Amino acid sequence: MKLVAGNSNRPLAEAISAYLNIPLAKAQVKRFADMEVFVEIQENVRGEDVFVIQSTSFPTNDHLMELLIITDALRRSSARRITAVVPYFGYARQDRRMSGRTPISAKLVANLITHAGVDRVLTLDLHAGQIQGFFDIPTDNLFSAPTLARDIKERLDGGNRMVVSPDVGGVVRARALAKRIDAQLAIVDKRRERPGESEVMNIIGDVSGRSCILVDDIVDSGGTLVNAADALLANGAKEVYAYITHGVLSGGAVARIASSRLKELVITDSILPTEAVKAAHNIRVISIASLMGEAIARTATESSVSSLFD
Ligand code: R5P
């Protein structure tokens, strides 16, 4: 068994390698002078079960190309099986045709990964579970919920917690976490009553006096979270936390979160945290290295991955 890391999140790859007690394979993943991707695997992988660790996070196109080219190098070097370990699967947000003349980028990316020569995929909290079906190769979609639930139980008072979905689309995910921590569920329902009028936030559920925990898969601009936190506090919530799997945090998101009324935003290290994220007073990062590492170990030994979530 071999572990190969792209450049998207070296610290996570090293933490997974430490969990498994298997060193990262020697490989060069760098750039030609014109920024094309150059790859050279510097040890024998013939007949090996190889796991390529690479989130397709910002800069997404570069990291996706690295994943495809590393896979091509491994396939041509006679690796026995190649598993793409993609903790954050980018290009997931255009996953269906909401209107005419739009792509299904998630399907295109699934095709690219498959055609490059990947045999199986290991990913985490896909934006939409059905993206799993875009791959015609075995794909395990892991859940961060047990990791997040453990942290919540350690930090927040049991009797007063309330899980909140920041939009109607996220209710299934939020309900699953609420069940794990034995908490009630509320929902933020965003509506624009008339075209041109600003959105109204209705809260479904009584949040007064509660410690609210917003749960989502992605925080990108931070707008969804900050607006939901304001609406919850306006409806009497005592305090608002957010537990989000993938800290995309683009543009001015970190500043927006830092100056918001969110008590704390907890994200995982599925995406490499920037220096700004590390310095933010109300953002904390928890690691999914042991979860990913354990799933890799179970894949390698052909044992159950789903039982990780029982
Ligand atoms: C939407 O479907 C996602 O689950 C997130 O709610 C969304 O991507 C968050 O985006 P932003 O942080 O830019 O509001």
Side-chain angles (χ1 to χ4, degrees), residues 93 127 166-167 173 216-225:
R93 285 174 281 184
H127 178 59
D167 52 40
R173 181 181 298 111
D216 211 345
D217 60 327
I218 293 172
V219 48
D220 187 353
S221 69
T224 302
L225 284 188

Side-chain angles (χ1 to χ4, degrees), residues 51 123 137 181-182 212 214 290:
F51 294 81
T123 186
I137 51 178
I181 63 168
D182 198 19
C212 291
L214 285 160
S290 57

Side-chain angles (χ1 to χ4, degrees), residues 259-302:
S259 61
S260 76
R261 297 164 77 201
L262 270 175
K263 190 136 192 191
E264 187 174 52
L265 163 64
V266 180
I267 53 175
T268 79
D269 56 355
S270 66
I271 295 174
L272 181 68
T274 59
E275 290 308 314
V277 168
K278 289 186 208 157
H281 72 98
N282 61 348
I283 304 181
R284 185 160 56 85
V285 182
I286 57 178
S287 185
I288 39 107
S290 57
L291 173 67
M292 302 304 299
E294 186 57 32
I296 290 172
R298 291 179 184 213
T299 303
T301 55
E302 310 287 355

Side-chain angles (χ1 to χ4, degrees), residues 9 29 35 37 48 53 59 64 70 79 88 98 102 118 124 140 153 184 218-219 238 243 286 294 300 309:
N9 196 340
V29 183
M35 299 308 282
V37 176
E48 297 280 0
I53 303 166
L64 176 61
I70 292 169
Y88 172 66
M98 294 286 281
T102 54
V118 162
L124 176 74
D140 289 301
K153 282 182 184 164
Q184 286 186 313
I218 293 172
V219 48
K238 182 173 149 228
Y243 276 74
I286 57 178
E294 186 57 32
F309 305 101

Side-chain angles (χ1 to χ4, degrees), residues 16 29 37 47 51 80 104 119 128 189 195 197 209 215 238 261:
I16 293 172
V29 183
V37 176
F51 294 81
R80 177 170 52 84
I104 304 181
D119 297 295
D189 172 37
E197 283 186 7
V215 176
K238 182 173 149 228
R261 297 164 77 201

Side-chain angles (χ1 to χ4, degrees), residues 79-290:
R80 177 170 52 84
R81 181 172 70 169
I82 303 167
T83 301
V85 180
V86 189
Y88 172 66
F89 181 85
Y91 278 118
R93 285 174 281 184
Q94 276 195 299
D95 59 351
R96 61 195 186 281
R97 300 195 78 206
M98 294 286 281
S99 58
R101 298 177 296 281
T102 54
I104 304 181
S105 317
K107 173 63 178 158
L108 172 64
V109 170
N111 285 346
L112 289 171
I113 291 173
T114 307
H115 289 300
V118 162
D119 297 295
R120 38 185 322 136
V121 174
L122 199 55
T123 186
L124 176 74
D125 284 345
L126 281 168
H127 178 59
Q130 60 270 23
I131 293 172
Q132 208 172 1
F134 292 180
F135 290 93
D136 283 330
I137 51 178
T139 299
D140 289 301
N141 180 25
L142 308 178
F143 304 111
S144 66
T147 311
L148 304 184
R150 205 173 311 123
D151 192 85
I152 293 169
K153 282 182 184 164
E154 279 168 16
R155 288 181 173 253
L156 298 179
D157 169 31
N160 206 31
R161 302 186 288 234
M162 190 148 198
V163 171
V164 183
S165 174
D167 52 40
V168 175
V171 172
V172 172
R173 181 181 298 111
R175 193 190 293 130
L177 188 77
K179 203 170 153 203
R180 270 185 193 276
I181 63 168
D182 198 19
Q184 286 186 313
L185 179 70
I187 301 163
V188 179
D189 172 37
K190 281 185 288 191
R191 276 194 204 178
R192 204 180 297 278
E193 300 292 348
R194 271 172 281 294
E197 283 186 7
S198 61
E199 270 180 342
V200 182
M201 301 260 201
N202 300 303
I203 311 290
I204 304 170
D206 181 7
V207 297
S208 56
R210 298 298 195 120
S211 295
C212 291
I213 305 163
L214 285 160
V215 176
D216 211 345
D217 60 327
I218 293 172
V219 48
D220 187 353
S221 69
T224 302
L225 284 188
V226 170
N227 293 338
D230 286 344
L232 290 167
L233 291 166
N235 278 264
K238 182 173 149 228
E239 52 191 5
V240 183
Y241 295 80
Y243 276 74
I244 314 291
T245 310
H246 307 296
V248 175
L249 295 169
S250 44
V254 175
R256 189 169 296 119
I257 299 288
S259 61
S260 76
R261 297 164 77 201
L262 270 175
K263 190 136 192 191
E264 187 174 52
L265 163 64
V266 180
I267 53 175
T268 79
D269 56 355
S270 66
I271 295 174
L272 181 68
T274 59
E275 290 308 314
V277 168
K278 289 186 208 157
H281 72 98
N282 61 348
I283 304 181
R284 185 160 56 85
V285 182
I286 57 178
S287 185
I288 39 107
S290 57

